[in-house]
Amino acid sequence: MALPAASVQLYTLAEQFSADMGGSLDKLAAIGLKNVEAFDFVRRPDEIRAALDAAGLASPTGHAPLLSDELWTPDGSIPTPAPEVVFEAAAKVGMTTVIDPFVAPERWFTLEGVTDIADRLNALVETAAGFGLQVGYHNHAQEFVADFDGQSAFERFVTLTDERVQVELDLFWALTGGQDVPALVERLGDRLVAVHVKDGVAPVPNPFGPDAGEFGSASLDQRHAGTGEVPLAESLRAASGLQYAVIEYDNPPGDVFADVAASYAFLIEGGFAR
């Protein structure tokens, strides 16, 4: 397998990016990155595309809500635009894949809910193709709470989706969901086109479980890739068709650019990405 391209989810540096878009991207390029994964791009695609071009970067993947009327995150809710609006903005930025980053936990707890999520994403495959795009889904840990005949809600979702739907597996959140992460990566096979390279101490219990209390990203103990509990090396080696290895911190432990550089070094020096 050809090595996946290294990238970074811009949510990692949301504050810095909002304050100085061009300067932040220049710092990422100086680290050695050639790709980023955009978020919150729908309201400002032209601005983001111009900044990417100026920094010599591309955003082949990006996160935007496709499956919810309102996107809940630990840090606040984001209104959901129409899919066609999302796809038009993504095409302007230069993306190839738009990935839904979060579907509310309770929708993953029943088979009817999981089936509805898969059906909604399947219905967008052809619409996205009209813009030259593909669609995908990115997990947290709520997708691993329910079990249907020995199969997690997440893996049932994958079996219910069109093979053109791409899967981006967040390795930290899969571990938080109690998964044998390298084995899951292997089972996903070529459906898995991207991973979030994220390390740290997995919270216990699952903060997205039905009895979980209040949760925010600031409570997470996240660390540089290769220094936490997540079996990153084994998981990356288990992948068979990976295209993107996307660095992300929900809660960067220090200076965010130094944190990104440390995880980038893990990927490049370890021979896991290019």
Side-chain angles (χ1 to χ4, degrees):
M1 181 187 77
L3 288 177
S7 183
V8 59
Q9 166 54 245
L10 291 179
Y11 177 76
T12 299
L13 53 145
E15 181 180 341
Q16 294 82 1
F17 186 72
S18 294
D20 183 4
M21 187 180 295
S24 295
L25 294 177
D26 286 342
K27 289 180 180 180
L28 295 178
I31 290 169
L33 286 153
K34 297 178 177 62
N35 300 288
V36 301
E37 184 170 76
F39 85 108
D40 190 20
F41 62 85
V42 178
R43 63 185 176 90
R44 49 184 179 174
D46 295 321
E47 182 183 4
I48 289 178
R49 177 60 184 267
L52 288 170
D53 289 346
L57 295 170
S59 181
T61 62
H63 280 191
L66 297 170
L67 304 171
S68 308
D69 295 330
E70 185 174 74
L71 177 67
W72 178 90
T73 79
D75 305 303
S77 294
I78 301 171
T80 304
E84 292 81 1
V85 175
V86 173
F87 297 147
E88 183 178 6
K92 286 182 178 180
V93 174
M95 293 178 191
T96 58
T97 305
V98 179
I99 299 167
D100 189 296
F102 190 94
V103 169
E106 61 272 13
R107 293 173 63 189
W108 290 97
F109 297 161
T110 66
L111 182 56
E112 292 77 14
V114 173
T115 302
D116 177 67
I117 296 165
D119 288 346
R120 289 189 184 206
L121 200 50
N122 288 339
L124 293 176
V125 169
E126 292 297 339
T127 305
F131 292 85
L133 297 165
Q134 293 178 293
V135 293
Y137 183 74
H138 162 276
N139 66 287
H140 285 72
Q142 65 268 32
E143 299 88 350
F144 303 103
V145 172
D147 182 282
F148 308 112
D149 299 322
Q151 189 176 48
S152 71
F154 179 77
E155 291 193 73
R156 178 61 62 90
F157 159 78
V158 173
T159 66
L160 291 171
T161 53
D162 188 302
E163 289 189 355
R164 292 172 290 178
V165 170
Q166 302 196 343
V167 176
E168 178 177 67
L169 186 69
D170 188 303
L171 303 175
F172 174 88
W173 286 121
L175 180 67
T176 300
Q179 298 302 293
D180 178 335
V181 185
L184 175 58
V185 168
E186 186 172 0
R187 288 197 301 274
L188 290 171
D190 290 345
R191 290 295 302 277
L192 183 65
V193 300
V195 294
H196 270 195
V197 178
K198 183 187 299 179
D199 213 340
V201 177
V204 178
N206 186 334
F208 296 104
D211 300 320
E214 292 290 324
F215 165 68
S217 298
S219 67
L220 295 170
D221 180 358
Q222 293 190 332
R223 306 179 184 181
H224 297 161
T227 66
E229 297 178 344
V230 184
L232 295 179
E234 297 90 337
S235 299
L236 290 163
R237 292 190 189 108
S240 59
L242 203 61
Q243 297 176 27
Y244 303 104
V246 185
I247 298 162
E248 186 185 38
Y249 295 89
D250 301 295
N251 185 31
D255 175 82
V256 68
F257 295 103
D259 296 337
V260 170
S263 291
Y264 178 76
F266 167 83
L267 287 173
I268 301 302
E269 294 170 11
F272 301 118
R274 55 181 169 84

